[in-house]
């Protein structure tokens, strides 16, 4: 092992993580959030981008606001937690208003989307245009799942081909493709991404899948300037698979924080 | 010393995997600070006559001064499995791997029960992977689902004279599990929520084994998990290597 804890010089940012509420729409799960911060301490992760996505269809204005209020609570609990605002663009103006509330009024740093719609669908346009105007990234849950159960339960799950379409359709918006290791045929995604040629495209390495070579091959496919460190709650998996990639010092610096700081610098509000 | 209960060698047809040979795998494991490993044949997952895969690695294992310990992979629906298991035991294999999803039998099938009983007689623990690779990235020729843990558990409970090591799993760390059931730890969370420590607290440090899943998976996460687990001293020793040595009679 090179290190059991990511060295401070990398100023590590986890680009994709989560906080959760307590049952029955209760307040922030403080104990779980403390556990997350403890784990980050163990592994040398300085800051974490957190969201609370609704993972099923049927998002309402109320449920969308509730999950984002939980993220605001988390941001108040620790300044190491950087909020991402969950929205379902199908809610139209309410989704746009929610982005403004979360990003402009409450200081969140990005937008989180799940698989309620494909990334490039027309319905996404108002949110994508606002994200571009505000200069904040859109992080979307993604994967190329090949098992019948996941394909049935996530029919609008975006994969790399949806990101290729989205960067063309919304050329001023910054995108983060969620978790190359989040489950699914990651090699398929990487073969598609060999065609990606956009400064506005990034991919994070999070997820529980730690297949040999996954990070190195992601870097080879899209270039180190487009890869972000992240865990999506799979903490040791995230740190361990980066070590397995045997990156150079310059590559570590970009992956652990340099690329994410470049995204944050695009903010206009 | 770290002893890895979960490694394999041979060709995997659905994805290019590094370190597929014994020399490469040994070099890789040693580079990670791992001092020994139980190894099974990936070829035997796909050969109809699985014993050919076992014999391939048996011939090579002699060259490694005890670094590797052989794990036989057999299919209870195939001809001569009982003789094959006895042959493997004589050749020095110390455990059996069963793969109901890949070899297309029900875990509760009579043939499987016969093989489980025979392994018990030979005092060979049975390694049972929940899955070999994550099912969400399956090739269309691979199983659609992982093994059902509850079905597995019933069989483990019904065969108290055979030891089982359940691998590649993150099943509940706080269940009431039978004493002949052991857990390989590579897929348990560790520092986030103290899940690995909770598993150890509930099933006992003598029932958890270090494993990496190499060469399919990177070894580093499993090593990190041990490091961040809040486990020390005797408990850490048991998990790192002593449990494997005891179960494999090394």
């Amino acid at each position: 092992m090179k290190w059991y804890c990511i060295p401070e010089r990398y100023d590590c940012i986890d680009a994709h993580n989560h906080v959760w509420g307590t049952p029955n729409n209760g307040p922030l799960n403080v104990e779980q959030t403390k556990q997350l911060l403890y784990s980050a301490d163990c592994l040398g992760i300085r800051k974490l981008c957190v969201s609370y996505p609704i993972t099923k269809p049927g998002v309402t204005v109320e449920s969308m606001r509730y999950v984002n209020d939980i993220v605001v609570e988390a941001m108040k609990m620790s300044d190491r937690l950087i909020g991402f605002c969950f929205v379902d663009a199908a809610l139209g103006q309410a989704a746009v208003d929610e982005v403004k509330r979360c990003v402009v009024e409450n200081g969140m740093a990005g937008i989180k989307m799940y698989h309620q719609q494909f990334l490039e669908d027309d319905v996404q346009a108002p949110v994508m245009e606002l994200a571009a105007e505000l200069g904040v990234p859109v992080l979307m849950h993604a994967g190329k799942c090949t098992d019948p159960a996941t394909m049935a339960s996530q029919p609008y799950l975006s994969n790399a081909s949806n990101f290729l379409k989205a960067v063309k359709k919304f050329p001023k918006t910054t995108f983060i493709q969620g978790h190359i290791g989040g489950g699914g045929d990651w090699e398929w995604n990487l073969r598609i991404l060999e065609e990606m040629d956009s400064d506005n495209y990034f991919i994070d390495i999070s997820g529980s899948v730690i297949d040999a070579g996954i990070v190195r091959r992601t870097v080879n496919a899209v270039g180190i300037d487009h890869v972000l460190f992240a865990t999506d709650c799979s903490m040791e998996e995230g740190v361990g698979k980066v070590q397995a990639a045997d990156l150079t010092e310059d590559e570590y610096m970009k992956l652990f924080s340099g690329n994410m700081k470049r995204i944050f610098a695009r903010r206009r509000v | 010393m770290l002893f890895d209960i979960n490694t394999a060698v041979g060709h995997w047809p659905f994805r290019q995997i590094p370190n597929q040979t014994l020399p490469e795998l040994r070099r890789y494991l040693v580079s990670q600070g791992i001092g020994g490993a139980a190894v099974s044949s990936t070829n035997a997952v796909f050969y109809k006559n699985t014993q050919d895969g076992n014999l391939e690695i048996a011939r090579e294992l002699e060259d490694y001064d005890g670094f590797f310990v052989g794990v036989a992979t057999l299919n209870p629906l195939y001809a001569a499995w009982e003789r094959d298991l006895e042959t493997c035991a004589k050749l020095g294999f110390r455990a059996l791997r069963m793969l109901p999803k890949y070899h297309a039998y029900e875990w509760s099938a009579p043939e499987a029960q016969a093989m489980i009983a025979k392994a018990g007689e030979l005092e060979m623990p049975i390694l049972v992977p929940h899955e070999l690779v994550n099912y969400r990235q399956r090739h269309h020729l691979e199983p659609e689902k992982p093994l059902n843990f509850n079905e597995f558990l019933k069989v483990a409970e019904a065969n108290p004279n055979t030891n089982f090591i359940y691998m590649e799993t993150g099943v509940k760390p706080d269940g009431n599990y039978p004493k002949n059931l052991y857990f390989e730890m590579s897929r348990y969370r560790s520092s986030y929520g103290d899940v690995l420590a909770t598993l150890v607290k509930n099933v006992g440090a003598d029932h958890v084994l270090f494993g990496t899943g190499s060469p399919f998976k990177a070894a580093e996460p499993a090593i990190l998990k041990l490091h961040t687990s809040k486990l020390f001293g005797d408990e850490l020793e048991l998990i790192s290597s002593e449990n494997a040595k005891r179960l494999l009679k090394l």
Side-chain angles (χ1 to χ4, degrees), chain B residues 7-11 20-23 25 37-44 47 50-64 68-73 88 91-95 97:
Chain B
T7 79
V9 287
H11 179 60
Q20 293 185 19
T21 67
L22 281 171
L25 181 62
V39 64
S40 55
S41 164
T42 300
N43 292 351
Y47 290 170
T50 55
Q51 183 70 344
D52 280 345
N54 298 325
L55 295 177
E56 284 169 359
I57 61 171
R59 282 189 286 273
E60 283 191 76
L61 287 175
E62 295 168 5
D63 299 334
Y64 288 90
F68 287 115
V69 178
V71 176
T73 301
C88 286
L91 288 170
F93 287 76
R94 299 295 177 91
R97 181 172 66 158

Side-chain angles (χ1 to χ4, degrees), chain A residues 142-146 160 177-194 203-204 206 208-219 221 241, chain B residues 14-18 133-134 136-138 216:
Chain A
K144 176 67 177 173
C145 291
T146 54
Q177 182 173 338
H179 44 54
I180 188 64
D185 187 349
W186 54 268
E187 291 180 289
W188 188 96
N189 274 316
L190 295 184
R191 291 313 312 272
I192 295 291
L193 290 171
E194 290 166 6
I203 186 167
D204 82 58
S206 69
S208 60
V209 173
I210 52 172
D211 288 348
I214 189 170
V215 173
R216 170 44 73 188
R217 291 180 65 176
T218 302
V219 170
K241 65 184 162 185
Chain B
F14 306 124
R15 179 166 64 86
Q16 192 178 63
I17 288 176
V133 298
N134 186 254
R136 293 172 296 176
Q137 66 188 51
R138 66 183 282 272
F216 291 85

